[in-house]
Amino acid sequence: MSEYMVVLTRRAIKWYKIMKGRNKVDKNVKLKRYVRKGVPNEHRALVWMCTSGAKEQLDRNPGYYQSVLGAQHDPKLVEAIRTENVLFRKSSNACLQKELFNVLAAYGQHNPAVGYCQGMNFIAGLLLLITMDEEKSFWLLEALLGRILPDYYTPSMLGLKTDQEVLGELVRERVPGVWGVMTEHGVMWSLVVSRWFICLYIDVLPVETVLRIWDCLFYEGSKILFRVALTMIHQHQAAMVEEARSLPDKIFTEPGSLSMATVAKLRATCRARILAEGS
């Protein structure tokens, strides 16, 4: 057995002892320490529900999810979800399609100020994979979008834009070398970190790493996003500085020959494939 598996087994035993026979957990110093080291997958749904406040909201609002799911949905909301969500292609699992659509449609009905925004599909999809339950996924989505990350997914995305600027200030204070290079080249922070924050690192880091980040995000709140970003920037600052300075020259050598004719041909092929899958 690898050293890593030994660690995971030891942690799983500790989690079993504190979770045995329980359907609720309360925040405390010991639990926080355990969460930071990673929640075993079999306990993850319950821990997320309890530490985020989603379980409390579910218990206070019995039947609410079914009511918003069964309401008449705005056709524009329905079309936006179906059009933007790559998981709804014919090659996708039919059950996942239905459950994911239900969660997103119910949330859009619940919070019309947000409706549906790109990125929400990845978040809701991962929630469903962990909870295997539409209603729990709905309330976890509400915890994220309504309380932990307010205004991230509204049309103005004010919360997201604000936190991008906050990260910029933190980098200026704590990783000044990277800040200096970014400023020197006029690179906007939104170009660098918007994908990190909007998808909560889903398409940036390995899934196992993302889940551990979310363990802490549900427990400790949005500061975790900054902790992750600062750590990634700090660990790769030397490479980032070098890449920023050498990139303009490398773009004409490293990719090799690339003509507009090649790009046009690939665009035509890919466009036809996308249209065929959507028909």
Side-chain angles (χ1 to χ4, degrees):
M1 184 181 292
S2 68
E3 183 178 345
Y4 181 58
M5 289 303 299
V6 171
V7 172
L8 291 181
T9 301
R10 185 166 62 244
R11 289 177 184 169
I13 293 171
K14 291 181 178 180
W15 273 100
Y16 174 77
K17 291 179 180 178
I18 67 170
M19 299 296 291
K20 185 178 180 180
R22 303 180 67 178
N23 61 4
K24 182 182 178 181
V25 291
D26 298 313
K27 288 185 174 183
N28 55 59
V29 174
K30 182 178 181 179
L31 183 65
K32 182 178 181 179
R33 186 172 71 250
Y34 277 30
V35 167
R36 286 187 169 188
K37 292 182 178 180
V39 181
N41 208 49
E42 61 267 29
H43 303 304
R44 191 161 260 139
L46 178 58
V47 172
W48 285 6
M49 289 291 292
C50 292
T51 57
S52 68
K55 187 177 188 304
E56 181 181 358
Q57 289 298 311
L58 187 155
D59 292 343
R60 284 183 177 181
N61 299 278
Y64 180 77
Y65 172 70
Q66 292 301 326
S67 70
V68 291
L69 179 60
Q72 183 68 37
H73 301 309
D74 184 341
K76 292 182 179 179
L77 170 67
V78 173
E79 182 62 23
I81 295 172
R82 292 193 185 280
T83 301
E84 297 292 339
N85 200 332
V86 295
L87 292 178
F88 289 132
R89 292 181 179 177
K90 293 179 180 179
S91 58
S92 302
N93 180 278
C95 292
L96 179 60
Q97 291 178 44
K98 182 177 183 297
E99 293 169 354
L100 186 53
F101 175 83
N102 286 348
V103 171
L104 293 170
Y107 188 81
Q109 184 73 22
H110 162 73
N111 189 351
V114 170
Y116 175 77
C117 175
Q118 233 176 356
M120 287 170 57
N121 54 340
F122 296 104
I123 296 170
L126 189 54
L127 292 174
L128 276 168
L129 288 173
I130 296 301
T131 66
M132 301 303 293
D133 183 285
E134 289 182 25
E135 188 172 22
K136 290 178 180 178
S137 297
F138 168 83
W139 285 112
L140 283 169
L141 191 63
E142 160 58 20
L144 279 171
L145 276 56
R147 297 192 299 281
I148 298 175
L149 304 170
D151 294 329
Y152 261 48
Y153 300 90
T154 55
S156 68
M157 292 187 165
L158 180 59
L160 176 66
K161 293 175 182 176
T162 300
D163 281 359
Q164 289 170 351
E165 291 299 313
V166 170
L167 178 61
E169 290 299 311
L170 289 170
V171 172
R172 182 173 63 83
E173 296 174 3
R174 305 185 183 200
V175 200
V178 172
W179 169 264
V181 171
M182 296 285 283
T183 303
E184 176 186 345
H185 292 274
V187 179
M188 298 173 59
W189 277 106
S190 59
L191 298 177
V192 179
V193 303
S194 58
R195 189 172 59 137
W196 298 3
F197 284 8
I198 198 72
C199 290
L200 308 183
Y201 297 102
I202 286 177
D203 60 346
V204 178
L205 297 170
V207 172
E208 183 180 1
T209 304
V210 172
L211 291 174
R212 288 195 58 184
I213 290 169
W214 284 26
D215 291 342
C216 300
L217 178 63
F218 280 120
Y219 192 105
E220 300 185 47
S222 58
K223 68 178 182 181
I224 295 301
L225 299 184
F226 298 111
R227 283 186 172 277
V228 175
L230 285 170
T231 301
M232 290 171 62
I233 292 170
H234 189 271
Q235 288 187 344
H236 299 283
Q237 61 177 313
M240 290 177 71
V241 170
E242 175 59 28
E243 285 297 318
R245 288 174 174 160
S246 62
L247 184 63
D249 295 324
K250 288 183 178 180
I251 63 174
F252 296 106
T253 57
E254 292 198 357
S257 176
L258 182 61
S259 67
M260 278 304 301
T262 299
V263 173
K265 183 178 179 181
L266 288 171
R267 279 177 175 161
T269 301
C270 293
R271 184 186 296 272
R273 183 167 65 236
I274 292 170
L275 291 172
E277 289 174 347
S279 62

